[in-house]
Amino acid sequence: MAHTNPFTFGALALDKSFTNREPEIRELVRDMENGQDVLVYAPRRYGKSSLVLRAGQRAIRKGVLVGYCDLMRTPTKERFAAALAKTIYSDLETAAGQAIERATRLFRGLRIVPTMEVDPIDGSLRFVFHAGRQRAAIDDTIEALLMLPGQIAAERKRRAVLVFDEFQEILTLDRHFPNLMRSVFQEQPEVGHVYLGSKRHVLERIFDDENEPFWRSSKRLEIGTIESGAFARFLRKRFEETEKGVDEEALSRVLEATGGHPYGTQELAYFLWELVPTGHFARIGDVEAALEQALRSEHNHFAKLWDDAPHAQRLIMLALADEPTRSLYAADYAERHELPAKPALQRAIGALVTKEIAGRDEGRVYRIVEPFFADWLRTEQAI
């Protein structure tokens, strides 16, 4: 029986696809059991959602009720209310009874009662909230929904955890919602909250400003790249389990190309695995061929990053792709790479960091952090 590719990218990495992070998982499971509020920060595509969902799976096995709500899918208050309702009903509510009866009983006290629909594909319930003439009604409904996890946890005598993915998006719904949420959460000792986010500058405004309601309210857990030794063991094992191998030189080149970036490493390993016949080893030449495929796969994305960047940002991109540095503002570095004057340089690097194209690593070295983008720049923009 032919093996399927053991590497995945683009979707959540769960089960065997999940790579290491064991210390972080154990820590987060304990936080969930203890009801500790946690802010989990990582740049995009670092695997924070996979990490928290994996921890949630373990916490559920320990008797914790865990609900997950993705704010990237809730651009309106009505959709946020619908997502909360589905999370509370599907993940937290465990009462017996027919689906419609349970949901009706659960949500009958809301100011806006949702319309309930049965999904014809999987039979699950969907909830729809219709905006009324009084805009305050949806705010009151959301407040009541946020209170329900505490009531359910108290009734079941079990710990509950509510996970908010991309939590910084709450500000796009209503800048007053953090005040509303914090006032509710402070009255829920049975409920822990896990906030995931990828936009550091927005999260800092929410959690680090002493004038904001979430100031010093949560433990911090920052997710970085995966240590090369752990990633090498994972890659080697996955190749061996599918009757293929990868030699040490090839492994080193994979991790050099990706810098231990979770998404980028899975992507490159995916293309590499496809190139190697069953019963054979991946060699350094195979890695270079796989890297070419990865660059072709990402070409449209990278071209848009380049096209959308102003002139000063393009100059910094080229400089960092060619020469990562601790001394971005040094006169000799700026002269060597024809960088703009310091005020423009500061604005440009700030924008690139915000867009998560560039950043500083653990050694405080500025470099391109978008996987494979430095390789693409050196190839496509070479003179």
Side-chain angles (χ1 to χ4, degrees):
M1 181 177 178
H3 292 286
T4 57
N5 197 312
F7 303 103
T8 60
F9 65 98
L12 292 174
L14 300 174
D15 302 319
K16 285 189 174 182
S17 298
F18 191 82
T19 314
N20 199 29
R21 303 286 195 201
E22 191 59 35
E24 293 95 333
I25 292 175
R26 288 196 298 267
E27 180 179 350
L28 196 50
V29 171
R30 288 297 298 153
D31 291 333
M32 290 180 172
E33 289 182 292
N34 293 330
Q36 173 64 53
D37 290 352
V38 184
L39 168 62
V40 180
Y41 166 76
R44 291 176 303 111
R45 305 195 297 182
Y46 264 53
K48 60 184 176 299
S49 298
S50 298
L51 167 71
V52 173
L53 289 174
R54 185 69 171 262
Q57 290 172 341
R58 294 192 188 179
I60 289 170
R61 292 198 291 268
K62 292 175 175 287
V64 180
L65 302 171
V66 180
Y68 173 85
C69 182
D70 185 357
L71 270 65
M72 287 299 289
R73 300 182 179 182
T74 62
T76 67
K77 291 182 179 182
E78 289 75 21
R79 288 179 65 90
F80 181 46
L84 281 174
K86 185 173 181 62
T87 295
I88 293 165
Y89 171 78
S90 301
D91 298 342
L92 303 183
E93 170 67 3
T94 59
Q98 295 296 316
I100 296 293
E101 294 174 0
R102 287 170 52 204
T104 300
R105 185 167 61 248
L106 184 62
F107 299 128
R108 64 188 172 193
L110 299 179
R111 184 166 175 182
I112 301 177
V113 177
T115 300
M116 288 171 274
E117 304 171 352
V118 178
D119 191 309
I121 298 176
D122 61 10
S124 65
L125 276 185
R126 297 176 61 248
F127 302 92
V128 179
F129 289 82
H130 298 286
R133 293 181 179 178
Q134 293 182 316
R135 294 302 301 169
I138 189 64
D139 292 352
D140 292 343
T141 301
I142 289 171
E143 181 177 6
L145 285 166
L146 292 170
M147 294 172 66
L148 278 175
Q151 298 171 17
I152 292 171
E155 291 171 3
R156 304 287 184 270
K157 295 182 171 57
R158 295 170 64 182
R159 175 74 68 193
V161 172
L162 203 53
V163 177
F164 293 100
D165 207 343
E166 298 299 346
F167 181 67
Q168 71 273 338
E169 299 304 314
I170 198 70
L171 292 178
T172 66
L173 287 176
D174 192 318
R175 63 186 181 89
H176 298 296
F177 267 11
N179 299 70
L180 169 65
M181 299 176 85
R182 184 64 180 148
S183 66
V184 172
F185 296 166
Q186 286 178 319
E187 302 298 322
Q188 294 180 325
E190 307 90 353
V191 183
H193 305 90
V194 180
Y195 312 101
L196 284 68
S198 60
K199 297 179 181 178
R200 185 188 291 275
H201 63 293
V202 182
L203 293 171
E204 288 176 346
R205 182 170 44 170
I206 296 173
F207 290 92
D208 292 346
D209 187 335
E210 63 181 12
N211 297 312
E212 294 298 320
F214 278 93
W215 180 60
R216 301 187 69 178
S217 65
S218 303
K219 173 184 171 182
R220 308 298 178 89
L221 180 60
E222 186 159 340
I223 307 301
T225 56
I226 295 177
E227 186 267 324
S228 60
F231 231 147
R233 289 189 294 273
F234 169 80
L235 296 173
R236 190 183 299 109
K237 180 180 180 182
R238 301 299 277 149
F239 268 87
E240 290 173 352
E241 287 175 342
T242 53
E243 300 181 51
K244 298 184 182 185
V246 54
D247 69 22
E248 293 303 315
E249 187 181 16
L251 270 178
S252 297
R253 180 66 183 106
V254 167
L255 296 173
E256 176 192 28
T258 66
H261 189 289
Y263 181 99
T265 305
Q266 289 267 6
E267 181 176 5
L268 185 54
Y270 177 92
F271 288 117
L272 179 61
W273 189 92
E274 289 291 328
L275 291 173
V276 179
T278 301
H280 289 71
F281 272 74
R283 312 291 184 187
I284 187 69
D286 299 314
V287 178
E288 300 304 333
L291 183 57
E292 289 182 7
Q293 290 191 7
L295 293 180
R296 286 198 296 273
S297 174
E298 298 286 352
H299 177 79
N300 289 342
H301 169 57
F302 291 156
K304 189 173 189 310
L305 293 181
W306 178 260
D307 291 343
D308 291 347
H311 180 67
Q313 292 180 29
R314 291 183 180 184
L315 292 177
I316 298 174
M317 289 176 185
L318 293 174
L320 296 180
D322 180 59
E323 185 184 0
T325 181
R326 285 190 181 90
S327 305
L328 185 65
Y329 300 102
D332 60 338
Y333 186 85
E335 182 179 356
R336 193 158 59 248
H337 295 284
E338 303 178 281
L339 297 182
K342 189 172 181 179
L345 180 57
Q346 289 177 321
R347 290 192 297 272
I349 189 60
L352 291 175
V353 169
T354 297
K355 292 189 288 187
E356 297 175 5
I357 294 172
R360 282 182 168 179
D361 61 20
E362 293 84 353
R364 307 298 293 169
V365 174
Y366 279 107
R367 62 177 67 251
I368 299 294
V369 296
E370 174 77 28
F372 312 125
F373 191 37
D375 296 278
W376 183 87
L377 288 167
R378 287 192 293 267
T379 301
E380 296 293 323
Q381 301 302 323
I383 297 176

